[in-house]
Amino acid sequence: MASLVKLSLIQSGVRRYDAVGWKASFAEQKSFSDSLPNSLKLNCKLNISSSCSKTRCLGVGIPRCTTEVVNDRIVEDEKGQEGGRVLRVGLICGGPSAERGISLNSARSVLDHIQGEDLHVSCYYIDYELNAYAISSAQVYSNTPADFDFKLESLAQGFSSLSEFAEHLAASVDIVFPVIHGRFGEDGGIQELLEKYNIPFVGTGSRECRQAFDKYHASLELSKQGFITVPSFLVQGSKIDESELSKWFARNQLDPISGKVVVKPAVAGSSIGVIVAYGVTDSLKKANDIILEGIDNKVLVEIFLEGGSEFTAIVFDVGSGFDCHPVVLLPTEVELQFHGNVDIREKDAIFNYRRKYLPTQQVAYHTPPRFPIDVIRKIREGASLLFQRLHLRDFARIDGWFLPPSTNAFSSSDGKFGRTDFGTIVFTDINLISGMEQTSFLFQQASKVGFSHSNILRSIIHRACLRFPNLALNNNISDHLPRRSKSLQLTETFSKREGTRKVFVIFGGDTSERQVSLMSGTNVWLSLQAFDDLDVIPCLLAPSNGNSSDASSRAVWSLPYSLVLRHTTEEVLDACIEAIEPARAALTSHLRNQVTNDLMKGLKKHSWFKGFDIADEIPTRFSLEEWIKLVKEVQATVFIAVHGGMGEDGTLQSLLEAEGVPYTGPGVAASRTCMDKVATSLALRNLADLGVLTINKEVCKKEDLLTVPAPGIWNILTSNLQCETLCVKPARDGCSTGVARLCCVEDLAVYVKALGDCHLRIPPNSLSKAHGMIEMPSPPPELLIFEPFIETDEIVFSSKSISENAHRLMWKGHSRWVEITVGVIGKCGSMHSLSPSVTIKETGDILSLEEKFQGGTGINLTPPPTSIVSNEALQKCKQHVELIANTLQLEGFSRIDAFLNVDNGEVLVIEVNTVPGMTPSTVLIHQALAEQPPMYPHRFFRTLLDLASERSK
């Protein structure tokens, strides 16, 4: 095995190599500054100096240049800032399951929140075929493993076998934190490998993982341990016995033709392959489909639980060594919601992969649940008991149902755990490596009882170290009291804090992209908390609800930590109102105190635990006018993360400018122009000779589309635009909703009907050409744009070995056009183009909302492979992009979507987004990381903030 170079002594101007690549030294940061246009040089210098403050224990532990040099002294790699030993953590993600994209999201979040001066993280990736690689932390910020799978051999250190990988881990890390979801991560696979080589790791052991992960065996064990379980039937391999399943239906009083059941893999994650079926025949067909698709060869058929409420609970072990002391945090109720007109498929919905990982109004979370207090106590008691009896370790997530007394599926379960006066509690799924995305259940529930992201993750690692004597002796990371997270309650106290810059991150709003805005704002808020010289306050711009045309009277809520970590803006707003309702607030406070008391019984015995760092605070409501005056009073900068509507059309910018408040992104005029797609094209129409082209457009009123027969509209549009296929999109909304390819008049009719009926989405494959889910704007837009649909060359990514050259890209290149998206950054008149990304659509012809913003889906090639775009064409493209940005008078940052001619670098503009997505998986992050040296997310967002502050001077 080729050894990885690791230098133990670091000095200024020398790169540090480790298992994940290198971190920029001061000299390299300066080199990066010198490579930027003049507009960014001062800003980059400010970034370098601001990052040199002492790393705070609270919150976002991120890679910092200061971990290498302290007061110009050489610092040994194995020493932390206080002279203690640096804990070396190996973070392993990926795996063979369909949840490997979510695994990458979890790894990204863990990396953001644990790495610091006292804890060094090395990142590793297991691919679809169980090949292991040491990857750079930059690759962890990719949107999906497919972004880099095809180039792993050139970018990463590969291992010839899992044995060689384990030997490397044994020599290079102190403890492993596996974040592989599903197979090889939760089924005992990675744990067995680590146990064989005596490598310490976080989480449950291999034997216990195998039992708990197999839903059928886990159900049998739970029943044996005295818990009520859901009646189920096992379909295994080719042994499909219809008569036996019919008998099972009869025993459980289910109609053999229409009885409703849930069909799901026995040994996959809790989200993949789970589907509703009706009757014996349909159940067997869907079970067979799961087997044939290779998801699993064992499938469970379970009774569909109706009339109850689903819940999930995080369990954290605060014991010592092998003594288990599990404490269940505040459980979360999962409420499926249905809005507008939905068909039977929606009414039979379950909490599936899409609902779990993409913020939409299809689901709402309530922490704590809206259950009787005795039921919540019983859930916590049962989950703790289950954790102990199944011999789980460190932490886990346990899912279940609370069912009304009328449910008769458990008539034979008298005497078992789960019976209450109010109904029945049933535990259904055990998640041994719970999802750890920024707003996951782990962080929602932990923040409710006083843990920040960093504090709960580091506490879990601490707990795991206690099982290993050599680590327990040196278990002194985070030995400072965490600094409490701040929310804005008392302006007098807030304004008196000296030596810090105030930053208000605002997100939310009215538009169909408000959920993406919540994701963006949350990510910016968490990233900027990395800087000790900033006080960062998250704020929700509440929807107007059509009650007022005066923008300044809109409500803005300043949010405490835990209320930001919600699924939707509606959920955040409901939580704000709930938090100030006396009875509910008193109940939540009572339950929080119960949990914190339970936690402290164990944590007080550990010297490494220095306290909770999230206070029990309430939100504060302002009018937008009051909020802007407060921002001005405390001399703050506003980071705008409101997508579409008043956040992107110049309205919010105009209100801030009127009070002299600095803000991120372009100014009023540029925002207004770019929000209007027609105005954008008109502003760029004279650049054709310079390599910048625009697309012809026709604008239609919604009322005309609803009243004029579809054939007449279709004929007019295709004639005027001289095309056979159309692309439709809202005229003044964001870039992600209501966009569809229309191939015929019937497609137009389907789309118009969805508008007229106010549908929130068009189901997959409702149009003549295959497509994914189309999220629709709500309310429907008054104006829509129709354009010729631009045919681009299909790029196919193969993730499985089909030849000696595995993980390869296939591109025929007939039309010579590809779709790109590219960020621009800088000051007005001298904008700098980042490296473009080639976007690859996985389903249909239009990028879906998931592919743009949901981590773990969508593929972006950054920078474009030279096999597709030559270096010469790429440089011309960047010049054209900078011309577009400067012509539109953009400043700060924006994102330009376009088609690129791969031969001559010509750019055909689609649209310009002045408040682009800033989610953890956004393509702008990939592009910033492609700069030399890489700009990590916290640095990227700090750069945008500094540009806003510089502009105001």
Side-chain angles (χ1 to χ4, degrees):
M1 175 184 70
S3 62
L4 297 180
V5 180
K6 186 163 187 175
L7 301 181
S8 61
L9 297 180
I10 313 299
Q11 56 187 348
S12 180
V14 179
R15 289 185 178 180
R16 168 184 175 179
Y17 287 83
D18 54 29
V20 299
W22 61 272
K23 296 180 180 179
S25 66
F26 283 176
E28 286 166 318
Q29 291 274 350
K30 182 178 184 302
S31 174
F32 174 51
S33 170
D34 293 341
S35 70
L36 290 175
N38 291 334
S39 61
L40 294 185
K41 287 183 179 179
L42 176 59
N43 177 63
C44 187
K45 292 175 183 176
L46 290 172
N47 285 341
I48 295 169
S49 62
S50 66
S51 71
C52 296
S53 60
K54 179 179 176 181
T55 304
R56 67 165 91 170
C57 282
L58 157 73
V60 194
I62 41 79
R64 297 168 181 263
C65 65
T66 54
T67 57
E68 276 70 49
V69 181
V70 178
N71 296 329
D72 295 324
R73 291 183 291 108
I74 297 175
V75 180
E76 292 188 20
D77 184 47
E78 299 300 317
K79 299 292 183 180
Q81 188 178 26
E82 302 299 323
R85 184 176 183 272
V86 171
L87 186 71
R88 302 171 301 167
V89 177
L91 187 64
I92 306 179
C93 63
S97 86
E99 291 185 279
R100 58 189 173 277
I102 301 303
S103 169
L104 188 64
N105 296 348
S106 292
R108 183 191 309 126
S109 183
V110 173
L111 175 66
D112 276 342
H113 297 298
I114 67 171
Q115 180 145 293
E117 295 173 350
D118 53 353
L119 192 153
H120 174 67
V121 183
S122 299
C123 300
Y124 301 93
Y125 172 69
I126 305 292
D127 73 4
Y128 189 86
E129 296 177 323
L130 296 184
N131 298 305
Y133 299 88
I135 62 173
S136 73
S137 53
Q139 286 169 302
V140 174
Y141 291 96
S142 299
N143 190 39
T144 169
D147 286 356
F148 59 80
D149 262 338
F150 69 97
K151 51 186 177 182
L152 275 170
E153 292 183 5
S154 61
L155 287 183
Q157 169 69 46
F159 300 95
S160 61
S161 65
L162 289 177
S163 297
E164 185 185 46
F165 173 50
E167 290 171 357
H168 164 82
L169 291 174
S172 302
V173 304
D174 299 311
I175 190 167
V176 166
F177 198 143
V179 290
I180 299 175
H181 304 310
R183 284 192 298 127
F184 197 67
E186 295 179 88
D187 63 359
I190 187 67
Q191 292 82 2
E192 185 175 19
L193 177 70
L194 297 172
E195 287 167 350
K196 180 179 178 181
Y197 287 85
N198 296 314
I199 301 170
F201 62 89
V202 173
T204 299
S206 62
R207 184 177 66 84
E208 293 78 13
C209 280
R210 278 192 295 272
Q211 176 177 268
F213 186 65
D214 186 314
K215 296 180 178 65
Y216 182 68
H217 288 155
S219 179
L220 294 177
E221 183 63 23
L222 286 177
S223 180
K224 178 182 175 182
Q225 293 289 346
F227 291 88
I228 296 174
T229 57
V230 181
S232 62
F233 182 87
L234 181 65
V235 177
Q236 189 163 3
S238 59
K239 301 175 184 178
I240 299 178
D241 191 332
E242 186 168 346
S243 63
E244 288 299 316
L245 182 58
S246 297
K247 292 177 184 177
W248 180 84
F249 264 70
R251 283 197 304 272
N252 290 283
Q253 301 176 359
L254 293 171
D255 188 291
I257 305 300
S258 59
K260 188 158 59 172
V261 295
V262 175
V263 180
K264 60 185 179 182
V267 286
S270 60
S271 307
I272 301 296
V274 184
I275 192 169
V276 175
Y278 298 88
V280 174
T281 303
D282 189 38
S283 299
L284 288 177
K285 178 186 179 301
K286 288 174 176 173
N288 193 49
D289 288 344
I290 291 173
I291 293 170
L292 292 177
E293 289 174 18
I295 297 175
D296 198 356
N297 61 359
K298 293 169 62 179
V299 180
L300 281 186
V301 180
E302 291 183 345
I303 289 176
F304 188 100
L305 299 176
E306 295 192 88
S309 299
E310 195 168 356
F311 66 81
T312 186
I314 297 293
V315 188
F316 174 35
D317 180 12
V318 296
S320 299
F322 288 93
D323 294 331
C324 185
H325 182 174
V327 175
V328 181
L329 307 185
L330 284 183
T332 298
E333 175 191 354
V334 179
E335 178 191 11
L336 296 186
Q337 298 182 326
F338 307 99
H339 302 270
N341 297 319
V342 294
D343 59 24
I344 189 66
R345 291 174 294 176
E346 286 290 303
K347 287 296 185 183
D348 287 339
I350 52 181
F351 189 44
N352 58 15
Y353 186 88
R354 192 172 193 272
R355 287 182 172 86
K356 186 174 290 186
Y357 296 116
L358 180 68
T360 71
Q361 285 186 268
Q362 294 177 282
V363 66
Y365 300 147
H366 306 277
T367 308
R370 300 167 301 175
F371 303 159
I373 192 167
D374 286 344
V375 172
I376 297 174
R377 178 186 57 79
K378 199 74 172 178
I379 288 171
R380 295 188 62 234
E381 178 187 337
S384 175
L385 189 62
L386 186 156
F387 190 95
Q388 293 178 73
R389 290 188 177 178
L390 294 186
H391 305 289
L392 308 185
R393 297 197 310 222
D394 299 335
F395 78 117
R397 196 187 85 227
I398 298 173
D399 302 339
W401 285 79
F402 171 55
L403 301 161
S406 58
T407 304
N408 59 9
F410 311 104
S411 57
S412 62
S413 60
D414 292 341
K416 291 195 171 184
F417 184 94
R419 290 291 190 188
T420 75
D421 294 338
F422 302 95
T424 303
I425 296 167
V426 186
F427 296 107
T428 56
D429 283 289
I430 302 164
N431 299 271
L432 301 160
I433 301 178
S434 176
M436 286 168 271
E437 296 180 296
Q438 286 182 344
T439 58
S440 66
F441 293 123
L442 172 64
F443 301 126
Q444 287 183 31
Q445 296 180 23
S447 66
K448 272 291 185 182
V449 296
F451 288 103
S452 67
H453 288 66
S454 177
N455 202 1
I456 186 63
L457 288 171
R458 282 174 167 245
S459 294
I460 289 169
I461 294 171
H462 274 302
R463 173 62 188 94
C465 287
L466 294 177
R467 287 197 305 278
F468 307 97
N470 290 339
L471 294 180
L473 292 174
N474 294 286
N475 195 11
N476 61 356
I477 61 171
S478 292
D479 55 355
H480 298 286
L481 180 67
R483 197 175 99 187
R484 288 187 176 273
S485 175
K486 299 169 295 301
S487 68
L488 182 60
Q489 291 189 59
L490 300 175
T491 59
E492 295 83 1
T493 301
F494 183 77
S495 61
K496 288 179 181 178
R497 284 187 53 84
E498 299 295 336
T500 60
R501 289 171 55 189
K502 280 67 176 176
V503 182
F504 288 69
V505 181
I506 187 167
F507 46 84
D510 282 303
T511 75
S512 55
E513 289 191 281
R514 60 192 178 277
Q515 317 306 357
V516 176
S517 172
L518 173 59
M519 295 167 67
S520 293
T522 301
N523 189 43
V524 171
W525 163 62
L526 287 172
S527 295
L528 290 179
Q529 284 194 80
F531 298 94
D532 285 342
D533 64 331
L534 299 180
D535 281 330
V536 190
I537 307 299
C539 300
L540 174 73
L541 175 63
S544 65
N545 297 320
N547 296 330
S548 175
S549 58
D550 181 10
S552 63
S553 66
R554 292 276 295 274
V556 177
W557 291 81
S558 72
L559 304 173
Y561 196 111
S562 66
L563 290 197
V564 185
L565 307 179
R566 298 299 177 115
H567 199 65
T568 65
T569 55
E570 289 78 11
E571 205 178 310
V572 175
L573 183 59
D574 289 345
C576 288
I577 295 170
E578 186 178 88
I580 60 176
E581 196 278 314
R584 179 67 178 178
L587 173 63
T588 301
S589 179
H590 171 71
L591 292 171
R592 173 189 169 109
N593 289 338
Q594 281 188 344
V595 176
T596 53
N597 288 339
D598 291 345
L599 287 165
M600 285 307 299
K601 290 175 184 177
L603 292 174
K604 68 182 180 182
K605 301 174 183 178
H606 304 309
S607 61
W608 47 260
F609 184 71
K610 301 300 181 182
F612 299 106
D613 54 337
I614 302 298
D616 187 11
E617 300 174 330
I618 61 173
T620 306
R621 186 186 187 279
F622 304 88
S623 70
L624 181 56
E625 181 179 18
E626 293 169 338
W627 181 79
I628 292 175
K629 287 182 178 178
L630 173 63
V631 173
K632 180 180 181 180
E633 177 185 338
V634 299
Q635 299 179 327
T637 301
V638 173
F639 201 118
I640 300 176
V642 179
H643 302 314
M646 67 178 296
E648 207 161 352
D649 67 3
T651 301
L652 181 57
Q653 290 81 357
S654 179
L655 292 171
L656 292 169
E657 277 193 17
E659 294 295 329
V661 174
Y663 57 87
T664 57
V668 176
S671 297
R672 287 174 178 165
T673 298
C674 295
M675 186 64 172
D676 187 328
K677 297 178 178 68
V678 174
T680 304
S681 292
L682 291 175
L684 300 173
R685 61 185 174 181
N686 295 323
L687 302 181
D689 292 341
L690 299 175
V692 175
L693 311 176
T694 57
I695 305 173
N696 293 331
K697 294 174 173 61
E698 289 284 335
V699 181
C700 294
K701 294 181 179 179
K702 181 186 69 174
E703 61 184 87
D704 292 338
L705 294 174
L706 295 175
T707 56
V708 179
I713 295 176
W714 181 264
N715 290 334
I716 292 172
L717 290 173
T718 53
S719 175
N720 290 350
L721 294 172
Q722 298 182 351
C723 64
E724 296 180 356
T725 304
L726 298 172
C727 179
V728 60
K729 62 183 71 172
R732 292 180 57 81
D733 206 339
C735 61
S736 304
T737 55
V739 184
R741 179 182 184 179
L742 308 179
C743 297
C744 58
V745 66
E746 290 78 13
D747 288 351
L748 175 62
V750 170
Y751 188 91
V752 170
K753 187 177 189 307
L755 284 176
D757 293 343
C758 299
H759 285 172
L760 295 178
R761 60 196 64 85
I762 297 176
N765 303 324
S766 299
L767 306 178
S768 60
K769 199 171 188 302
H771 64 86
M773 183 77 74
I774 301 173
E775 298 285 341
M776 296 296 287
S778 179
E782 294 301 317
L783 296 175
L784 292 109
I785 288 176
F786 291 86
E787 302 171 343
F789 181 83
I790 306 299
E791 293 281 357
T792 58
D793 289 322
E794 184 179 16
I795 301 173
V796 178
F797 169 75
S798 172
S799 61
K800 297 182 180 181
S801 295
I802 56 177
S803 67
E804 292 183 359
N805 182 19
H807 307 306
R808 65 191 181 98
L809 292 172
M810 292 171 284
W811 179 63
K812 294 182 179 178
H814 293 314
S815 77
R816 313 305 293 168
W817 289 91
V818 295
E819 186 172 349
I820 64 166
T821 185
V822 56
V824 289
I825 181 172
K827 293 186 177 179
C828 188
S830 56
M831 294 294 282
H832 168 66
S833 171
L834 301 176
S835 180
S837 300
V838 174
T839 56
I840 299 179
K841 299 170 285 292
E842 295 184 296
T843 57
D845 298 293
I846 304 293
L847 283 174
S848 68
L849 190 67
E850 290 102 322
E851 288 171 331
K852 284 193 175 182
F853 299 113
Q854 178 185 332
T857 62
I859 301 172
N860 297 292
L861 307 180
T862 312
T866 54
S867 60
I868 297 176
V869 182
S870 68
N871 288 330
E872 182 181 0
L874 183 63
Q875 292 307 312
K876 288 183 179 179
C877 169
K878 294 174 74 171
Q879 293 170 9
H880 294 148
V881 165
E882 290 172 355
L883 176 61
I884 294 167
N886 293 327
T887 300
L888 294 172
Q889 294 186 302
L890 301 181
E891 55 187 314
F893 74 115
S894 295
R895 194 190 76 230
I896 297 172
D897 298 337
F899 299 105
L900 169 65
N901 186 303
V902 299
D903 294 323
N904 59 22
E906 282 187 339
V907 171
L908 178 60
V909 179
I910 301 174
E911 60 191 5
V912 178
N913 299 277
T914 54
V915 184
M918 291 168 278
T919 66
S921 56
T922 183
V923 71
L924 289 182
I925 299 298
H926 315 163
Q927 294 174 8
L929 286 165
E931 296 289 297
Q932 292 301 323
M935 292 179 70
Y936 281 81
H938 66 286
R939 175 68 53 224
F940 177 67
F941 293 129
R942 179 60 186 258
T943 298
L944 305 184
L945 183 68
D946 290 343
L947 281 169
S949 300
E950 286 299 305
R951 180 173 64 186
S952 66
K953 293 180 179 179

